[in-house]
Amino acid sequence: MGEGGGDGCLNSNELNYLVFRYLQESGLTHAAFALGYEAGIDKSPIDGHMVPPGTLVKIVQKGLQYIEMEANVDIDPDDDFTLVDSLELITMDVPDLRKIIGERRENQKKENLKKENPQKKKDREKERDKIHVDEYETLHKQERDVEMEECEKEQPNKEKDREKKQEQHRQVELNKHHENKIKTKFEENGVSGGPQPMEIANELIESLDCEIRSSDVTILKGHTSEVFACAWSPIGSILASGSGDSTARLWCLPQGPNAPSMQTGIDVCVLKHFKGRTNDKSKEVTTLDWNGDGTLLATGSYDGNARIWGRDGELKNTLNKHKGPIFSLKWNKKQDYLLSGSVDRTAIVWDTKTWECKQQFEFHSAPTLDVDWRNDVSFASGSTDHMIYVCKIGENRPIKAFSGHQGEVNAIKWDPTGSLLASCSDDRTAKIWSLKYDNCVHNLTDHEKEIYTIKWSPTGPDTCNPNQKLILASASFDSIIKLWDAELGKLLYNLHGHKQPVYSVAFSPNGEYLASGSLDQSLHIWSTREGKVVKTYRGTGGIFEVCWNREGDKIAACFSNNTVCVAEFRM
């Protein structure tokens, strides 16, 4: 594999690549990006297509098996092979392992000597059993004799009692049979310990009449690697997608409900982020965002550059001040500034008139994972350093610092009015913050694993849906989505339906529905009023992102199998 190695050894570049691949395959995307950047994986001569999945784990397992064999190499032919705990194999060298194995064999021999002859033990047990049988038969014969005498004396009453007992016994057996049948039914549905309506209902999602018909799904093919991001243009029906193949694509879909189920007739424009080699890992498209009027698309990539494209696919500008991969890009509403957050620990505000760096904010001590505008001049940033900073253009220090999380901050989002900030973290909590307070307003702690993303509903005061309450959705690696009352910090619904980590959620424009995409290959659409699935579609790859179009009648989902699916939504 690559250079070096020789005599069965891995060099540092090969080992770094295997660890990088292991992190990717384990879903630890941020850690993989960080290692790839620090170790220069993009410059590695290794062809990733030649390395099968799980290679690092296989090598480690083989190495441990070899050490175990080496530790047993001097065993007596009459002795059994001694297994060693994996922790011992990892923490001890071969001489220590041999010593432990020798001690265990000696102890086993002593135990065997203490045990009596197995045949003698069996003979004594047989004799004891024979005595017990004889005693039992004698006693049982005496009981039968007494019973016969009593039967002759009380035959009429005995007969009635026997019939009554037999009837009671039959009733008990019927009840048991009925209970076992119910129990078996619940166990078949993955539920034990009594009925749990929410769990049962969602186990039966696929059997309900909510499957999106294949004729209502358009599958867009063209990418040659995983599709990580997608976003609808706010004007027209152009869908942008970004992939690990170092390209973004603009798909021009026909407007209206009658979309074709196949890709024929759909115009596509390929936005190449490379010159020459198409498998350049440093050009993977990690994030993208349209400006407010849909005339410009910004893309961020693994090479640290932000690129600006026209809706016709023309490259307008390349912004190259970051020193590491860009994970987040956001236009402000006024469209005069573009905000980017990078693994290089900084956030940059770009002036969209000159495309020069307006200001670079260097407050974090670790990679910046997400950024989000509060208004046209202030924003928040979240990082793997557990911190959240609220910054303002022209200020040299943060105007607010939130320090409540105990793990990496994966995502941050301002509510529609810019008064509340939501965040989620690897510490399994989501939090709601206000600039009025130093500590979080609500600490949402019900998830059992890392929370990957959060989204606000487009509802509440000063929105297009003022009569609906403001809701926060959180999605986790525990496969559960939770809907929260933002004002009270109260859990409204647990949305059980996915079987693997949920990477993306998105509210419909009217706030009445929530789309979710998971590694279990399923796209679910939930009613936010009832907390149940109303539509579902199953693809053939894990889903990284979902998004609604402006009209709320189409949902796009990008998959790990290199495709993008567009589903028609009708109720």
Side-chain angles (χ1 to χ4, degrees):
M1 190 169 40
E3 300 175 358
D7 64 3
C9 297
L10 293 171
N11 61 33
S12 59
N13 289 333
E14 292 165 342
L15 183 57
N16 284 339
Y17 182 79
L18 290 176
V19 175
F20 171 77
R21 279 287 297 272
Y22 169 76
L23 292 173
Q24 276 191 327
E25 293 163 5
S26 301
L28 304 173
T29 311
H30 298 317
F33 273 123
L35 173 63
Y37 173 66
E38 294 286 343
I41 296 297
D42 58 298
K43 299 181 179 68
S44 171
I46 300 171
D47 184 355
H49 298 292
M50 301 296 292
V51 182
T55 297
L56 179 63
V57 175
K58 292 176 184 175
I59 290 175
V60 172
Q61 288 175 335
K62 290 291 184 184
L64 293 177
Q65 290 171 355
Y66 179 84
I67 294 173
E68 192 171 43
M69 289 290 294
E70 193 176 6
N72 279 274
V73 73
D74 294 330
I75 65 172
D76 189 301
D78 295 330
D79 288 338
D80 292 331
F81 186 92
T82 303
L83 296 176
V84 186
D85 293 337
S86 57
L87 186 59
E88 293 172 337
L89 290 170
I90 294 171
T91 57
M92 297 182 179
D93 55 23
V94 172
D96 290 335
L97 290 172
R98 287 176 176 166
K99 183 178 179 181
I100 289 174
I101 290 172
E103 290 174 353
R104 287 177 182 171
R105 290 193 186 119
E106 288 299 321
N107 291 336
Q108 187 62 44
K109 288 178 181 178
K110 291 177 182 178
E111 288 295 323
N112 291 340
L113 288 174
K114 290 179 183 179
K115 293 178 180 179
E116 61 181 329
N117 184 289
Q119 189 59 45
K120 288 183 179 179
K121 185 176 180 181
K122 288 180 181 178
D123 292 343
R124 189 164 65 252
E125 287 176 348
K126 285 182 179 179
E127 186 66 28
R128 187 173 64 245
D129 291 343
K130 184 176 184 300
I131 293 172
H132 287 164
V133 169
D134 291 343
E135 290 176 350
Y136 172 78
E137 288 182 350
T138 301
L139 180 61
H140 193 57
K141 185 176 183 301
Q142 293 172 352
E143 290 176 347
R144 283 202 308 269
D145 292 342
V146 172
E147 193 176 54
M148 288 294 291
E149 292 177 5
E150 291 178 350
C151 284
E152 290 174 358
K153 294 177 182 178
E154 303 177 5
Q155 187 66 27
N157 294 334
K158 194 73 174 179
E159 191 65 32
K160 290 181 180 179
D161 290 341
R162 185 181 295 110
E163 289 178 357
K164 185 176 180 181
K165 287 180 180 179
Q166 287 176 348
E167 180 61 29
Q168 290 175 344
H169 179 72
R170 280 197 299 271
Q171 189 61 43
V172 169
E173 289 300 317
L174 282 172
N175 290 338
K176 284 183 179 179
H177 176 71
H178 184 61
E179 289 174 2
N180 288 335
K181 188 175 181 181
I182 294 175
K183 183 180 178 183
T184 302
K185 186 65 177 176
F186 279 123
E187 289 174 349
E188 287 173 354
N189 286 287
V191 180
S192 58
Q196 302 176 28
M198 178 63 78
E199 299 292 343
I200 297 170
N202 287 299
E203 285 294 328
L204 298 175
I205 281 174
E206 295 183 2
S207 67
L208 298 176
D209 186 23
C210 59
E211 288 281 347
I212 297 177
R213 295 177 301 178
S214 58
S215 60
D216 287 335
V217 178
T218 303
I219 300 176
L220 306 176
K221 297 181 179 180
H223 284 297
T224 58
S225 185
E226 302 99 326
V227 187
F228 296 122
C230 59
W232 289 95
S233 169
I235 304 297
S237 57
I238 298 177
L239 176 68
S241 59
S243 167
D245 64 6
S246 304
T247 73
R249 292 173 187 253
L250 301 180
W251 312 86
C252 187
L253 287 90
Q255 290 184 312
N258 296 321
S261 58
M262 299 300 291
Q263 189 175 329
T264 54
I266 296 177
D267 294 330
V268 59
C269 183
V270 180
L271 314 182
K272 296 182 179 180
H273 289 58
F274 59 88
K275 293 180 180 179
R277 291 192 304 161
T278 60
N279 63 342
D280 189 346
K281 291 182 285 293
S282 72
K283 303 296 192 298
E284 291 182 356
V285 179
T286 54
T287 183
L288 45 79
D289 191 42
W290 289 96
N291 67 348
D293 59 16
T295 56
L296 295 174
L297 176 73
T299 61
S301 66
Y302 193 80
D303 64 2
N305 291 335
R307 294 172 174 82
I308 311 301
W309 311 82
R311 60 187 292 123
D312 58 356
E314 179 186 357
L315 178 62
K316 301 288 188 180
N317 275 288
T318 300
L319 315 179
N320 55 12
K321 191 173 180 63
H322 279 300
K323 305 299 183 184
I326 295 174
F327 280 158
S328 184
L329 274 175
K330 301 285 174 62
W331 298 82
N332 67 351
K333 290 183 179 179
K334 197 175 176 181
Q335 305 181 53
D336 56 346
Y337 293 125
L338 176 69
L339 176 64
S340 58
S342 168
V343 169
D344 67 7
R345 309 176 184 182
T346 73
I348 295 178
V349 173
W350 306 87
D351 188 326
T352 61
K353 294 182 179 67
T354 63
W355 294 115
E356 297 293 330
C357 171
K358 175 72 174 179
Q359 187 173 351
Q360 187 167 20
F361 299 81
E362 305 179 61
F363 305 140
H364 288 293
S365 60
T368 303
L369 299 184
D370 200 12
V371 292
D372 196 43
W373 289 101
R374 176 174 179 251
N375 51 38
D376 285 326
V377 294
S378 64
F379 66 90
S381 61
S383 164
T384 61
D385 64 7
H386 309 177
M387 292 295 297
I388 301 168
Y389 292 120
V390 182
C391 307
K392 186 176 181 180
I393 297 174
E395 299 289 338
N396 294 323
R397 298 299 304 162
I399 62 176
K400 197 75 175 181
F402 295 124
S403 59
H405 281 297
Q406 303 301 313
E408 296 184 4
V409 180
N410 293 318
I412 53 172
K413 294 288 181 294
W414 289 99
D415 78 339
T417 64
S419 58
L420 296 175
L421 177 69
S423 61
C424 65
S425 167
D426 281 356
D427 65 10
R428 306 180 183 183
T429 72
K431 301 181 189 295
I432 298 177
W433 312 84
S434 169
L435 291 179
K436 298 177 182 178
Y437 307 100
D438 292 333
N439 297 321
C440 64
V441 178
H442 297 299
N443 188 30
L444 314 177
T445 60
D446 279 13
H447 280 291
E448 297 179 357
K449 290 186 179 180
E450 299 93 328
I451 305 176
Y452 189 75
T453 190
I454 46 174
K455 286 290 172 63
W456 291 100
S457 62
T459 55
D462 300 323
T463 70
C464 296
N465 309 289
N467 297 324
Q468 300 178 49
K469 69 172 63 178
L470 180 62
I471 296 174
L472 179 69
S474 59
S476 167
F477 284 0
D478 63 13
S479 77
I480 299 171
I481 304 159
K482 295 179 184 289
L483 299 184
W484 308 86
D485 183 315
E487 182 181 357
L488 303 176
K490 177 184 176 183
L491 180 63
L492 298 174
Y493 290 110
N494 275 317
L495 307 184
H496 298 264
H498 289 295
K499 297 178 177 63
Q500 291 193 40
V502 182
Y503 271 178
S504 181
V505 290
F507 282 95
S508 62
N510 61 11
E512 294 182 4
Y513 301 100
L514 180 79
S516 62
S518 164
L519 287 187
D520 66 7
Q521 307 181 358
S522 295
L523 165 68
H524 292 328
I525 302 171
W526 311 78
S527 165
T528 58
R529 293 181 177 178
E530 300 177 351
K532 68 177 184 180
V533 169
V534 294
K535 293 287 181 181
T536 185
Y537 170 75
R538 184 173 180 82
T540 56
I543 300 175
F544 290 117
E545 188 164 22
V546 295
C547 60
W548 295 80
N549 67 345
R550 182 186 58 176
E551 293 77 18
D553 59 3
K554 290 185 177 70
I555 305 121
C558 49
F559 288 78
S560 62
N561 68 343
N562 313 345
T563 66
V564 182
C565 291
V566 178
E568 295 287 331
F569 178 68
R570 291 188 292 271
M571 286 300 297

